Amino acid sequence: MGRKALKLAETTGGPEGAAAPKLDRRRAPDTAARILDAAESLFSIRGYHGVSLRDIATQAGVQVALTHYHFGSKEDLFGAVIDRRADAHVAGMADALVQARQVAGDQSTRRRAIIRAFITPIVDRSMRGGAGWKNYIRLMALVANMPQQEAFISPFRQHFDDVIAAYVEALRALHPEMDEGDVQWGFFFFQAMITHILAESGMLDRQSGGRFSSSELDAMVERMVDFVGAGFTGLGAGGLA
């Protein structure tokens, strides 16, 4: 075989004129991403228990065997969905807290800055991050409302527990006069409010007769900051500060 034929054989998988080997669709670079996108979308709507690997494969347009090939079990796939965007999301929340802790002013001003720092990156991802981030944020809210001892939730705990603890500690340090339990309760009530709002359930639309929309997340941020800030005051954060 001459040099030209040999080089052609190296690039096509056969002698000159032979057809190139068939592409292994299992290894196509977009297959795993399509499976993750489909899983993220379905999990965010139906939850972990309401989705099967067959459902995910159908939405992704692949065979069920490919979900096993790329991710193994449904639990492993769920973990991969959480992992994919977690580092970027945690980094955004952590950066927002660093900036909030640099805000000067009285306790009320600094408390509002910390509360705003927690919710703003979440809303920004949901409203301006595209469909994938919208699904991811909705899924994180759904996961936060599930029994936290479930094994499949462990990736959520591993990624987010530290940054959540940092926010709680920032509020505790700001309000040494408060009982630590009240700080924990106050932040838990805040989280519960967020997880309900991020579901965009349409409840606000119905109860307001269509005057307001559950999807107007930007419009809720400052109202939420005011409401939660006042709630901490009620629990003993600086008296009437």
Side-chain angles (χ1 to χ4, degrees):
M1 182 183 294
R3 289 183 181 179
K4 183 177 178 181
L6 178 59
K7 186 172 182 61
L8 187 61
E10 289 172 350
T11 58
T12 64
E16 185 174 6
K22 185 177 180 181
L23 176 66
D24 186 347
R25 293 293 178 185
R26 297 175 305 172
R27 300 180 185 277
D30 68 333
T31 300
R34 285 164 54 200
I35 293 170
L36 284 170
D37 288 343
E40 185 176 63
S41 175
L42 290 172
F43 283 138
S44 74
I45 297 169
R46 303 184 197 170
Y48 179 81
H49 296 295
V51 178
S52 68
L53 288 178
R54 184 170 298 280
D55 294 331
I56 294 166
T58 298
Q59 178 143 324
V62 301
Q63 295 180 347
V64 176
L66 287 181
T67 66
H68 293 288
Y69 176 84
H70 284 281
F71 298 102
S73 67
K74 184 172 83 166
E75 183 173 327
D76 290 336
L77 175 53
F78 189 81
V81 169
I82 292 176
D83 290 344
R84 179 167 61 155
R85 302 184 196 273
D87 287 346
H89 194 31
V90 169
M93 296 172 70
D95 288 346
L97 178 58
V98 169
Q99 296 177 35
R101 298 191 78 163
Q102 296 172 357
V103 171
D106 59 17
Q107 279 185 323
S108 177
T109 299
R110 289 180 287 160
R111 179 173 64 248
R112 285 169 53 85
I114 294 169
I115 293 168
R116 186 183 296 106
F118 188 80
I119 185 59
T120 298
I122 298 173
V123 168
D124 281 345
R125 297 284 193 193
S126 181
M127 297 296 288
R128 286 167 283 281
W133 273 107
K134 170 73 76 173
N135 291 333
Y136 188 80
I137 294 299
R138 186 184 294 117
L139 176 59
M140 295 302 96
L142 189 64
V143 168
N145 275 312
M146 301 187 73
Q148 296 299 293
Q149 70 272 18
E150 292 278 8
F152 65 86
I153 289 178
S154 61
F156 175 82
R157 298 194 297 264
Q158 292 164 8
H159 285 294
F160 292 97
D161 278 4
D162 286 348
V163 72
I164 290 171
Y167 273 88
V168 174
E169 174 55 27
L171 288 167
R172 191 203 63 75
L174 178 62
H175 290 291
E177 78 283 0
M178 283 184 72
D179 179 83
E180 182 180 354
D182 285 338
V183 176
Q184 291 283 356
W185 278 112
F187 197 78
F188 172 69
F189 295 151
F190 179 34
Q191 289 175 285
M193 183 189 308
I194 291 170
T195 59
H196 178 79
I197 287 171
L198 292 175
E200 299 183 37
S201 65
M203 183 177 293
L204 176 62
D205 310 58
R206 189 176 73 247
Q207 75 181 36
S208 69
R211 292 174 58 207
F212 306 104
S213 170
S214 295
S215 296
E216 293 175 353
L217 300 183
D218 286 324
M220 299 180 195
V221 171
E222 288 305 315
R223 291 173 173 83
M224 195 184 310
V225 171
D226 289 341
F227 189 84
V228 175
F232 270 92
T233 298
L235 286 173
L240 297 178

